[in-house]
Each structure stands twice: as structure tokens, then as C-alpha cells.
Amino acid sequence: MRPTLPAVLTAWAATRAVLLLCVLQILTLPGPVVTSDVEVIYQGWSEVLRTGVFPEDDVTWQYPPAAALPVLAPLLLPFLEYAPAFYTLVLLTDAVVLALLLRAGRGRGRSRAGAWLWVAGVPLLGPTVYARYDLMVTAVAVAALLCAVTRPRVAGALVAFGALLKVWPALLLAGAARGRGGRRMWGAAVLTGLGVTGAFALAMPNALNFLTAQRDRGVEVESLGALVFHIARHFGWEGRVELHYGSMEFLGPQVSTVADVSLLLSLVAFGWLLWWRVRAVEWTPTTCADAAFAALLLFTVTSRVISPQYMVWLVGVAAVCLTLESRRQRMPALLVLAATGVTLLEFPIFFGEVVTSEPLGVALLVLRNGLLVVAGLASCRALWHTTVTAPRPRAAGPTPGSTGAGTTPHDAPDPLLTR
């Protein structure tokens, strides 16, 4: 049965009310308090940024220059204290994403399934999702993907702006269409990126420090590579877990080797994406979103860091795929939804067990990261199948505005491209 609009809105309102109660600490979950990033770190950054400079000698500031905007945004609500203002803005951004997905889900060949995935996936992360600015970045990425087919220049500008908020939206260019539309998207992204970066670099010192901010990172305890050390600790590994670069990381013998392997796997993923673009023969309105989803999954599972808030990136891009009725991405999207629920268990509820490599904590990581690996492989397989090995046949018939005379199957438009 097709989900009704009132049901979607009611579910969104109910789940977001619970999230607000959690970040305001009226309701609490077991484990560490997740709001300290906003109440301490973000607010501290905002005080520095208000002086016209980026934080210097602060290893927790690892972000591109446009990240200053969401950090400073709560100042737009002077009648609220910093933290409540931040949560209010995230809530409003959440509502905007839902509106975009609902609007895009209308009509033939579209679905409200994406809106449902967003409604369900965001609260599965618990209060963490409202206590980080990643949902704001995801909103920009969702808007870019929904614009990619019909407004490539707008999409390109949004991709660049998103990348200057938190880098990963640059992956949305992986599926930019060939031809004029793709060139427009890339051109707008490059021009916007250079313009915004240049403006920040001229206006605020230290704008480009993020380029080298993470070179000395270890291996974050929730990443795929971290499983090596979670297991090794039970066999006498002499390393340790410390708060490092703003997250709990493994430090010690062989950590740099695992970090290098993670980087190598990311390069392999990049190479596969290039090979896919060379071999692809079919672009449809879903290809950009499908490729973005596959690329994001690949780079998430190969990263040295898989922080809980990263899951909202995947939920947002998966929601776009389902909105556009990308049928072969349904299973990867559902796997991401399941992994999001497991993420809430490993952080914050049982994070103590994760940090100390207790069997329960390790089992949760194996399950969550395993789901992401399977989702990544399934998404890549689906992308390859729909664009390389089994492209959709072109329908025979007259082109729009023609009389039908002399039209061949080769001349007929792809029905997916003329919706």
C-alpha cells in the first residue's frame, strides 16, 4: 500500500520530538553524553570564528572553510542559547530534507519510499544525529542529487558547497552524466569551489589548514580496520585507545600499517569508480544517485574513521535513490538502514564495550561494518549491472513532436529520460 502523506508527516513529527527530548537531555540513553560536541566544541569554535579567524593549533578542527557557517548559524537565533539554537536549526534542516524528498517523490516513476527511509533512518542514529552538523551537509547533498538531471549547474554548485562543508559530497560527481549536462555540473562545481575557497582564504586566516589536519590520525575504534586491533588486544597487542583528533582511536604498533592499508583500499575504490565510468554505456535519471551511493559506501568502509554521524550521509543518499525508484539499490538501502540501527547500539549505548574491545562491542562492530561492506558490494554490483552489462533497451516509437515517419528504435528516446 502506498504510504499516505499524513502518515509520513505524523511519523516524522513523533520521531523528531523524541530526538529533541534526547538532545535536550530530558530523555537520556545509556553511554556517553553525545551533546558535548555542540555545547563545548562547536560553541568554542564559534567564539573563535566570530573574531574572523579559523581555530589554530586545535586538532579537533579538521574541516573545510565552509564548515564555519553551520557552526556560526546558531547566532542567527539570539533569543536562544547556543546549543538549543543549533538543535532547532538541525530540526528545520531535517524538515527541509523531508520536504525535498516528498516533492521529488510525486508523479510517475517516483516514490515516497525515500521519504520513509529518511523518516526511519534519522532517528535510528539517536541523539547523535542532531548533535553534529552532518545532517546539514546531507541536506545539501540531497538537494544536489535531486537537481542533477534537470539542473546540472545548480547541482554542481551545491556539490561544491557541500564539499566545502565536509568534503564527502564531492563523491556526488562520480555519476555526473557524460556530455553537456555533465560538463555543466563539473564546471559549476569547479567554479563554485574555487570562488568560495578563495573568498574564505582571503577573508579568514588558516582557511586551508584542513588539508593537512588529519595526516597524523590513528585508526578510529569503530572503523573496519579497527577490528584488527579489537581482536589483537585479546592476543597481547600492546597498543592503546586514546582520545585523539577528537575521537577514540587505536594508537601503537602496526596502527600506521592498517591506516596505510585503508588508504590503499580507498585508492582501489577510486580506481574501480574510474573503470566503471569508462565501461558504462547507459545513463538514466537514477545513475548519478546510484553512483553517489556506491561511491559513498566504498569510501566509508575503507576509511580510517566511521563515526556514527557518517550514517546520516548514507541514509540521505539512499533516500534519493529510493525516491527516484532505483529498484536495484533497494537492498543496499535497506542494509544501510539496518546498519544505522546497529550503530545506535554501538554508540552511545554500548560504546564502553566497544572501547574496551569486549565481546559484545566487537560483535556489534562486526555486524554493523559487515552490513556496510555487503551494502557496498551490492550497490556496486547493481550500478555495474544497470549501466554496463544490462542497459535498458531503448523503446521504439516516434519522438516527441514527430509524425512517426522514418523513426527507428535507435532514434527513439529513452523513456526514463523523457519522464
Side-chain angles (χ1 to χ4, degrees), residues 118 121-122 125 129 134-136 138 168 308-317 340:
W118 180 257
V122 169
L125 278 176
V129 75
D134 294 80
L135 192 147
M136 298 176 176
T138 303
W168 70 264
Q309 63 268 23
Y310 291 13
M311 298 302 299
V312 76
W313 312 348
L314 293 166
V315 169
V317 177
T340 303

Side-chain angles (χ1 to χ4, degrees), residues 49-413:
L49 291 166
R50 290 176 70 178
T51 67
V53 298
F54 284 94
E56 189 175 12
D57 299 324
D58 182 350
V59 296
T60 61
W61 179 265
Q62 307 156 18
Y63 307 110
L69 300 178
V71 172
L72 289 169
L75 302 179
L76 298 173
L77 303 177
F79 49 88
L80 292 174
E81 293 184 359
Y82 185 89
F86 183 87
Y87 305 141
T88 300
L89 291 173
V90 176
L91 174 68
L92 293 174
T93 306
D94 186 354
V96 169
V97 175
L98 179 65
L100 290 173
L101 293 170
L102 286 172
R103 184 177 184 275
R106 295 181 301 182
R108 191 167 69 101
R110 300 295 179 93
S111 172
R112 284 183 183 154
W116 270 115
L117 186 75
W118 180 257
V119 168
V122 169
L124 281 180
L125 278 176
T128 304
V129 75
Y130 270 25
R132 308 289 188 272
Y133 80 90
D134 294 80
L135 192 147
M136 298 176 176
V137 184
T138 303
V140 176
V142 168
L145 288 174
L146 293 176
C147 288
V149 175
T150 57
R151 297 178 181 178
R153 287 195 180 98
V154 174
L158 288 170
V159 166
F161 181 64
L164 289 172
L165 286 170
K166 207 164 188 180
V167 180
W168 70 264
L171 295 172
L172 275 56
L173 292 170
R178 290 173 179 163
R180 185 171 60 180
R183 289 192 296 271
R184 287 176 174 175
M185 189 170 173
W186 271 94
V190 171
L191 291 175
T192 302
L194 291 175
V196 175
T197 302
F200 273 108
L202 291 173
M204 299 177 69
N206 309 318
L208 302 181
N209 284 1
F210 76 98
L211 294 173
T212 57
Q214 299 197 43
R215 61 188 174 189
D216 296 323
R217 291 203 71 152
V219 175
E220 195 259 342
V221 296
E222 297 161 278
S223 65
L224 185 64
L227 289 172
V228 173
F229 301 111
H230 282 296
I231 295 171
R233 290 174 99 180
H234 294 278
F235 295 91
W237 181 70
E238 297 179 352
R240 63 197 184 279
V241 174
E242 289 184 2
L243 183 63
H244 189 241
Y245 281 82
S247 63
M248 301 302 293
E249 297 184 357
F250 280 112
L251 301 172
Q254 306 305 318
V255 169
S256 61
T257 301
V258 172
D260 290 342
V261 170
S262 296
L263 178 59
L264 178 61
L265 290 175
S266 293
L267 291 175
V268 171
F270 180 72
W272 183 87
L273 288 169
L274 288 179
W275 179 239
W276 163 74
R277 282 195 65 92
V278 169
R279 293 292 308 277
V281 296
E282 180 87 359
W283 251 261
T284 74
T286 70
T287 300
C288 189
D290 292 351
F293 189 36
L296 186 54
L297 278 163
L298 287 176
F299 283 94
T300 298
V301 298
T302 61
S303 173
R304 291 178 294 176
V305 180
I306 307 181
S307 295
Q309 63 268 23
Y310 291 13
M311 298 302 299
V312 76
W313 312 348
L314 293 166
V315 169
V317 177
V320 175
C321 291
L322 295 191
T323 297
L324 301 178
E325 285 208 332
S326 180
R327 291 180 175 83
R328 287 188 174 272
Q329 296 294 343
R330 286 178 181 174
M331 183 55 67
L334 292 175
L335 290 172
V336 163
L337 189 64
T340 303
V342 178
T343 299
L344 177 61
L345 294 176
E346 63 92 358
F347 185 90
I349 296 176
F350 294 110
F351 192 59
E353 284 79 354
V354 170
V355 171
T356 56
S357 303
E358 295 296 324
L360 175 59
V362 176
L364 288 172
L365 286 182
V366 169
L367 178 58
R368 195 279 301 271
N369 292 344
L371 286 168
L372 290 179
V373 169
V374 174
L377 294 174
S379 181
C380 290
R381 182 178 182 276
L383 177 66
W384 188 274
H385 182 81
T386 55
T387 59
V388 178
T389 60
R392 293 176 181 270
R394 295 184 177 273
T399 58
S402 72
T403 61
T407 304
T408 68
H410 178 74
D411 299 322

